[in-house]
């Protein structure tokens, strides 16, 4: 199957255009003020109208219903990405209230971090495995850290999953080879500075990710 490539944390028309032209399957927008990738509702509406060729993903972190409703109204996403400590009950509630598929991010450092996977897999539509943030971090993702991909070897998961965390054009092929993930998600790995996406890095990453499809055939 084709690899799903997601560019996350897009915040300007120029970098979104670069991702779309390079063939990104999913484009992610961050609704979390502590993040340098946070987008205003006005900008989200503008970018949402621009992103017609890709699946739009609205990322939030332990958001309340008001923030979710406002971000959905502005962006019109196809998927909600929950990147906080949302409980199973909260995820069920969000799906019921907003009627959108949910991708849950699971922070991974050791095998013990996968213990919650069956519960999330039962209520979510997609899983994103990301590196666990340091204890003193102010946000859960976009930190450029890599986790041990071998923890996902032989994973028997019935729903689609993606890997994230410290990916770049040089290591994406190894990440896909080890995890057999159906998708990859990158944010800080295509930035020249925190929150500043680099069009050339975006193009290089997507090109490298697509090359893994050729290796698999």
């Amino acid at each position: 199957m084709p690899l799903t490539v997601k560019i996350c944390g897009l915040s300007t028309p120029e970098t979104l255009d670069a991702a779309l032209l390079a063939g990104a399957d999913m484009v992610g927008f961050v609704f979390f003020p502590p993040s340098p990738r946070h987008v205003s509702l006005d900008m989200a509406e503008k970018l949402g109208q621009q992103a017609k060729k890709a699946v739009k993903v609205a990322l939030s972190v332990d958001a309340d219903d008001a923030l979710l409703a406002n971000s959905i109204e502005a962006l019109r996403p196809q998927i909600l990405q929950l990147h906080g400590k949302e409980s199973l009950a909260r995820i069920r509630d969000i799906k019921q209230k907003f009627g959108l598929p949910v991708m849950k991010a699971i922070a991974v450092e050791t095998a013990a971090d996968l213990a919650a996977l069956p519960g999330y897999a039962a209520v979510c539509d997609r899983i994103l495995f990301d590196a666990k943030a340091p204890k003193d971090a102010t946000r859960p993702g976009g930190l450029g850290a890599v986790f041990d991909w071998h923890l996902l070897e032989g994973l028997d998961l019935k729903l689609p999953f993606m890997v994230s965390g410290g990916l770049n054009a040089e290591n994406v092929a190894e990440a896909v080879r080890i995890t057999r993930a159906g998708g990859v998600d990158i944010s800080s790995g295509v930035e020249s500075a925190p929150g500043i996406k680099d069009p050339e890095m975006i193009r290089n990453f997507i090109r490298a990710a697509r090359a893994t499809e050729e290796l698999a055939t």
Side-chain angles (χ1 to χ4, degrees), residues 179-191:
T179 64
R180 301 296 179 188
V184 290
D185 182 0
I186 192 169
S187 186
S188 62
V190 288
E191 291 180 347

